[in-house]
Amino acid sequence: MKKFLLTGFALVSMASQAQTWVPQATKLPTSFAPREIAIVDANTVWTTVSDGRPLSLGGGTYPKTFTKTVDGGTTWTPGNITGASAAALVGDIAAFDANTAWVVTAPSDGGTVGNGVYKTINGGASWAKQVAYSGVSFANCVYFWDANNGVTFGDPPTNATSKFEVYTTSNGGTTWTANANAPSAVGGGYGLTGVKAVSGNTIWFGTTTGKIARSNDRGLTWNIYFSPALDFGGGAAGGGVDGSSAAMAFKDTNNGLLITVDGDVVGGTPSVAMYKSTDGGATWGSAPIVPNGPWYYGDITYVPGTPNTFVSTGITNRDATKTGSSY
């Protein structure tokens, strides 16, 4: 099922005293923008791309394009994701080093041809399709812990009583194994492109019903929990609540923050809140927390290696006061 896809911000690096952001030229066409981001280290970063032009001009698509840097963003080099079918929408991305990366694609036509995982081992010069997603699904996310062990997951392939599709690999994607322990989608709901969080061996993803799926063993077994969110961002087209979205980030297996947004539509006044979990997303407290100082509701991320630092970012074309960053 085609759905609205979230575009978020990610933090590449932040010095302890940094107070400003430095623009970097991605060398993409004017209408293109970085979409999902895979950070390998302080120097190496890969991103997929979205086309921000109006639909009437051919925009609103997800080109088979990427860009990457190997020098901390001083220079960026764009390239093409070769071999993907015409029906493939390029979504999430994972990377191991400057040469090795994976992207997940979903079908634009509701079929099976567009689903897949593609891997490059030569810095993006060429990409090879790996076998996964045999059914009618919508592939949402891919993540690798190292060069061999990874997971990819997508929407339920049939109906609201089925399970999400989950595949794991232990050989870099040469073979992917369908997971019989995938979380159930009973009650409806779908996943969203790139809507995931990872800490250690634990991985989470959000859905269009506000539920959160969690695996503590790199995608082998799963639990699914209710959250204060109504929808992680699918809107009416994704089976969720139009004008609602959410973002989550975890500093470790237990401790995380969740931002919820409701009523974010033209002419509406968004209602935003922040919640804290100390049990890995199973519960989020009886009431929102009240942060001290400014914070933004576009996205949130934890800064690895810090005791407790999170960054919030925001952007909107309706209210300039909602645009900014804080930590």
Side-chain angles (χ1 to χ4, degrees):
M1 176 179 178
K2 189 175 180 180
K3 58 176 67 64
F4 294 115
L5 305 177
L6 291 179
T7 300
F9 286 93
L11 182 71
V12 176
S13 63
M14 186 182 84
S16 60
Q17 301 300 318
Q19 300 293 315
T20 60
W21 293 90
V22 179
Q24 296 182 340
T26 58
K27 296 184 181 178
L28 294 167
T30 303
S31 65
F32 286 11
R35 186 169 169 229
E36 304 302 333
I37 301 176
I39 302 170
V40 176
D41 53 37
N43 293 313
T44 305
V45 181
W46 298 67
T47 83
T48 55
V49 171
S50 63
D51 186 345
R53 292 177 298 170
L55 293 175
S56 60
L57 298 178
T61 61
Y62 306 99
K64 299 171 183 63
T65 304
F66 70 92
T67 187
K68 72 169 185 176
T69 179
V70 295
D71 56 13
T74 301
T75 56
W76 289 81
T77 304
N80 296 318
I81 299 170
T82 57
S85 71
L89 298 170
V90 176
D92 202 17
I93 186 169
F96 173 68
D97 56 25
N99 293 313
T100 308
W102 299 259
V103 295
V104 67
T105 66
S108 61
D109 57 0
T112 61
V113 177
N115 270 325
V117 178
Y118 292 80
K119 180 182 181 180
T120 180
I121 57 174
N122 54 16
S126 62
W127 298 76
K129 186 174 183 178
Q130 300 182 324
V131 178
Y133 295 101
S134 58
V136 180
S137 179
F138 191 103
N140 290 313
C141 295
V142 61
Y143 186 82
F144 273 78
W145 282 267
D146 50 43
N148 294 311
N149 295 284
V151 63
T152 182
F153 40 85
D155 293 343
T158 54
N159 55 56
T161 61
S162 65
K163 295 182 177 181
F164 289 89
E165 283 206 12
V166 177
Y167 299 84
T168 56
T169 181
S170 59
N171 55 16
T174 300
T175 56
W176 289 90
T177 302
N179 189 344
N181 298 313
S184 172
V186 171
Y190 300 88
L192 292 145
T193 298
V195 179
K196 66 182 187 299
V198 182
S199 181
N201 292 328
T202 302
I203 187 166
W204 299 258
F205 70 85
T207 72
T208 56
T209 59
K211 293 179 182 177
I212 296 173
R214 183 189 74 189
S215 170
N216 289 330
D217 51 13
R218 297 186 174 185
L220 295 179
T221 60
W222 293 84
N223 290 300
I224 194 159
Y225 305 105
F226 289 96
S227 84
L230 297 178
D231 178 1
F232 271 81
V241 181
D242 198 19
S244 294
S245 62
M248 60 182 167
F250 287 84
K251 62 165 282 190
D252 54 35
T253 302
N254 293 316
N255 297 284
L257 296 176
L258 170 71
I259 292 174
T260 63
V261 185
D262 298 306
D264 191 13
V265 295
V266 175
T269 301
S271 173
V272 300
M274 183 182 293
Y275 297 84
K276 180 179 180 179
S277 177
T278 57
D279 55 11
T283 61
W284 294 92
S286 58
I289 63 174
V290 181
N292 180 20
W295 60 281
Y296 300 87
Y297 58 80
D299 208 344
I300 188 167
T301 189
Y302 165 68
V303 183
T306 65
N308 282 298
T309 302
F310 289 75
V311 175
S312 76
T313 57
I315 185 169
T316 176
N317 59 4
R318 294 190 292 274
D319 185 350
T321 65
K322 302 299 188 293
T323 301
S325 63
S326 63
Y327 66 92

